[in-house]
Each structure stands twice: as C-alpha cells, then as structure tokens.
Amino acid sequence: MDIRLMRALILAADRSTFSEAAAASSITQPAFTKQIQQLEALVGTPLFRRGRQGAALTTAGAALLEDARAVVALADRFEARVKRMAAGDEGHLAVGFGLSSIAVAPRVVAAFRSAFPGVTVRLEDMSSSAQIQAVRGGELDVAFARMPSPRDLRSVAVLSDRLIIAHPEAWKAPPAGSSLGEWLRDHPLVRLSSRRGPGLAAQTGMYLAEIGVPSVAIQEADDLQTVLALVAAGIGAAIVPESVRNIAPARVSMHRLDGASARWEVGVIWRADNETPVVRAFLDELARISAD
C-alpha cells in the first residue's frame, strides 16, 4: 500500500474540495484525483461522493479514515526517528576506557550525553587489550586504549600519559638520574596485578629493564585505588600512571619518571565498518573538546 494514497484520503477528508486537498499536497488536481481513484480501485468501492458542495466521505471512506490516520502518524514517527538516527541524535553507544583515560573519558562522555540526550551511553572500565578485543567483537563501539592501535582498527591520538613514583609522604623523595635504580632496589613496591592492568605491567617492566632494576613487588592489588591506599598506609611505593593524580589519597607524594619507556600515548579506536552516525557524532564531540 502506497502511503501517499492514505495521505490523499486524509487530505480529501479534511478539505472541502479535491482542489484544496491537491493544493495542500502541492500537486495538480488531476494528479490528486488519480490518487483517490487508485485507492478506490484497491478498495473496490467509492470512498467519496462528489457533488457541487465538494467531496463527502462514503461509509467505506469513513471506515478507513481513522486507520489511515493511524498508519500515516506511525509512518511520520518512523521517518522522524530515522532522521534522528541518521544525524546521530538517537541510538546506543558503548565506550571503553582504561587507567590512563580515567579522567578524560568520563568527561567526554558527559559532554556527549549533554549534546545528544537521545543516545544511550554505556561506559566500561577495561584494560587496553580487553578493549581492543571488545571493539573487534562489537561489544564496544569506541575505546580509549593505548597506542599504537592494531592496523585493522581506526584510531586518533587523544592524550599522553607517563609513569610516576607514588610513595608515602613521610618517605624521602626518590633521587633523579642514575641513583633512582638504587632507591627502587631499597624500597618495597606495591603494584597493580598484571591481570587487571596488563598494559601498565608491560610499561613498568620495560621501564625497570631500561634502568636495570628487577621487577619485584611485595604486594599486588586489583585496582589502582587500593594500590594508592596501600602506598598511603606506608606499605610501599608504586609505579603508576600520572593520570591517577586525580584519585590519589592524602599522604601520598608523586614524582615523574624520565626515559623513553616512561611515556605512552592513548587514543580512541573504532572499527571502520562500525562508523555509525552515533560513533561519528561522538568522535566529532571528542575533537571539539580536544580543541578547547
């Protein structure tokens, strides 16, 4: 059934003449009359009585009118929703983030939700390796993960992070330069478990190898908040991303580490075949925030 024929029925019923209905639909009267005739041919009975006073609905026409209104209203709602989805104003978005993006990812998501309230957003805290697999598998639409990204995924760099030493405030600050290795050998370390943070574990291992210090830890924890709490309690020092400054408790001092293995980039990654209007809108919002 052509939706135009139902629209013609409604217009003819709401206007006193076919000429007024034709004008309202921006077509000629003969073309409009042909649409009514096509609908009457499908029904098999006249839908209007034509006379000098205009066109009046027959019993059959009146019976079909309310159904036509319901169908056209539903079609209009469908068309409006399609347009909103095509513009990225409605839909669903699953976003992954990790340790290094713990500050920026929620901020971007909050700005995106404000700009696109019709989009439902799910935010998942995952390691970079888990995010990459989730993007590939379709569980995540976009992810804030360590760079470089795999070649089969698209990406854009967002921020840089680096390693720092977090230690109890009462401890003497670690020295810079070549003496740092000796300081690390003489102080116990607390670390995030490699299962929870494989990227951080690999980065820390590379850094310790670079300065010639064995990777030894006296205690592990499954989240950075616990690691920092253990540091604050005086259990040991920890090598953590600088981005954790925002969640560090009192009585914890932090010092930057230097070296090629102490820095890395974080980017947003996504699948090229999943660049939906919602994903595109999120990337545009990210670019706008990054430019501010």
Side-chain angles (χ1 to χ4, degrees):
M1 173 67 69
D2 190 337
I3 194 73
R4 293 179 305 165
L5 304 184
M6 286 181 275
R7 293 188 187 279
L9 173 64
I10 296 169
L11 279 172
D14 291 344
R15 299 317 195 264
S16 59
T17 65
F18 278 11
S19 60
E20 290 183 12
S25 59
S26 301
I27 60 176
T28 64
Q29 182 173 339
F32 183 85
T33 300
K34 185 176 181 181
Q35 289 181 351
I36 296 297
Q37 290 171 342
Q38 287 177 328
L39 184 58
E40 289 176 329
L42 288 173
V43 177
T45 187
L47 301 178
F48 290 91
R49 292 188 299 272
R50 284 81 161 179
R52 292 182 178 179
Q53 303 302 318
L57 285 167
T58 64
T59 301
L64 291 175
L65 179 60
E66 292 309 310
D67 286 342
R69 291 190 192 278
V71 171
V72 169
L74 181 60
D76 288 343
R77 288 198 300 272
F78 178 80
E79 181 180 1
R81 189 170 191 183
V82 167
K83 289 180 179 179
R84 290 196 301 272
M85 294 181 72
D89 292 331
E90 183 176 327
H92 304 275
L93 186 72
V95 181
F97 74 103
L99 304 174
S100 293
S101 55
I102 196 169
V104 65
R107 182 166 62 90
V108 175
V109 167
F112 178 76
R113 279 177 166 162
S114 177
F116 299 91
V119 177
T120 302
V121 182
R122 187 179 83 250
L123 194 59
E124 297 283 351
D125 182 4
M126 306 166 68
S127 67
S128 289
S129 58
Q131 288 184 68
I132 289 170
Q133 293 306 314
V135 169
R136 283 175 172 153
E139 291 86 10
L140 291 178
D141 297 302
V142 295
F144 290 79
R146 286 173 178 261
M147 300 285 275
S149 68
R151 292 184 177 180
D152 60 316
L153 299 176
R154 289 189 175 179
S155 64
V156 58
V158 175
L159 58 92
S160 297
D161 206 351
R162 64 187 299 157
L163 295 175
I164 61 173
I165 291 180
H167 63 84
E169 191 177 51
W171 288 14
K172 186 177 180 180
S178 59
S179 300
L180 177 60
E182 184 178 344
W183 188 94
L184 287 170
R185 292 187 190 93
D186 294 339
H187 291 79
L189 286 178
V190 181
R191 70 182 179 193
L192 185 70
S193 67
S194 58
R195 177 189 61 80
R196 176 61 183 85
L200 177 60
Q203 196 81 42
T204 302
M206 286 191 296
Y207 175 77
L208 293 175
E210 183 180 308
I211 64 174
V213 176
S215 180
V216 178
I218 62 164
Q219 188 164 342
E220 289 190 345
D222 284 334
D223 61 81
L224 278 177
Q225 289 88 345
T226 302
V227 169
L228 294 171
L230 292 171
V231 171
I235 302 299
I239 298 178
V240 294
E242 188 171 31
S243 51
V244 304
R245 287 186 183 274
N246 296 326
I247 62 172
R251 302 186 306 280
V252 172
S253 296
M254 297 184 176
H255 301 273
R256 285 184 170 185
L257 297 178
D258 295 318
S261 298
R263 302 180 183 85
W264 66 95
E265 283 192 328
V266 176
V268 168
I269 64 172
W270 69 96
R271 284 203 334 262
D273 62 351
N274 188 43
E275 195 168 308
T276 64
V278 170
V279 170
R280 188 69 259 166
F282 182 83
L283 295 173
D284 290 343
E285 188 68 14
L286 171 66
R288 184 190 67 78
I289 291 174
S290 300
D292 290 345

